[in-house]
Amino acid sequence: MPNLATLHDEYALHGHIDEDAPVVSASSVLIDASPDRIWGVLADLRAWEGWATDFRLRALDAVEPGREFRWAQKGVPLRSRFAVVAPGRELSWTGSMLGLYRAIDRMVLTREDGRTRVTLEESLDGPLVRLVYGEDNLRAGHEARLSALKDHIESAA
């Protein structure tokens, strides 16, 4: 079970999640918008509460590699650090929950037939993580967030 620093330095900074983690999920959605337009929404974490209903930002200095931010998802406090901040291509971070669970989250944008595919990948590790927060729950949360992102962007067009 890699520690958070290893997950950040050896995985996330190199564009990877921990495929060997007990809980791994990937979901994607096609959005009728350019990568730059989608990036503008993703990189504005202060506005996420307007479309990602389970997201609450608690502290954010800047969206830059190495910068930390604190947030809550469904009321659970999280502490994260940005890994990759590549405009129009990828936003990723590592983080911890309750001091016990460690995660890597990646949102990758790719052009596809005039639209943009947003892929959300995550690896999650920690004691009894499969029982506490299994793959089905993780995937359902990702799909809900991607659906909300798509609706938010396409309804604003």
Side-chain angles (χ1 to χ4, degrees):
M1 181 159 62
N3 65 32
L4 194 55
T6 299
L7 289 174
H8 189 85
D9 296 343
E10 295 180 22
Y11 292 80
L13 287 176
H14 297 284
H16 302 287
I17 61 172
D18 179 4
E19 296 287 348
D20 295 325
V23 177
V24 175
S25 180
S27 297
S28 68
V29 66
L30 270 173
I31 299 177
D32 191 15
S34 69
D36 289 340
R37 184 151 162 251
I38 294 168
W39 176 261
V41 172
L42 290 178
D44 184 6
L45 267 72
R46 288 181 177 88
W48 276 38
E49 292 179 23
W51 60 269
T53 57
D54 63 349
F55 179 91
R56 293 293 171 264
L57 188 62
R58 296 170 50 225
L60 171 70
D61 181 22
V63 179
E64 297 173 355
R67 296 293 190 113
E68 291 190 4
F69 65 103
R70 287 181 289 132
W71 54 296
Q73 183 170 310
K74 296 182 181 179
V76 176
L78 301 146
R79 182 179 205 107
S80 297
R81 181 166 56 131
F82 291 107
V84 177
V85 179
R89 293 180 324 173
E90 179 177 346
L91 181 63
S92 67
W93 60 75
T94 54
S96 63
M97 175 178 62
L98 307 173
L100 299 171
Y101 301 97
R102 292 167 304 288
I104 301 172
D105 289 76
R106 295 182 71 227
M107 287 179 281
V108 179
L109 286 65
T110 51
R111 285 194 175 274
E112 191 173 308
D113 299 325
R115 297 182 290 173
T116 303
R117 179 168 301 280
V118 180
T119 301
L120 177 52
E121 299 180 308
E122 184 172 351
S123 59
L124 183 59
D125 201 345
L128 304 172
V129 70
R130 283 191 179 130
L131 297 174
V132 174
Y133 201 89
E135 211 164 276
D136 290 342
N137 284 336
L138 191 61
R139 184 168 289 111
H142 289 173
E143 290 175 1
R145 177 154 297 151
L146 289 170
S147 178
L149 176 66
K150 177 181 175 70
D151 291 347
H152 174 73
I153 290 172
E154 291 182 351
S155 68

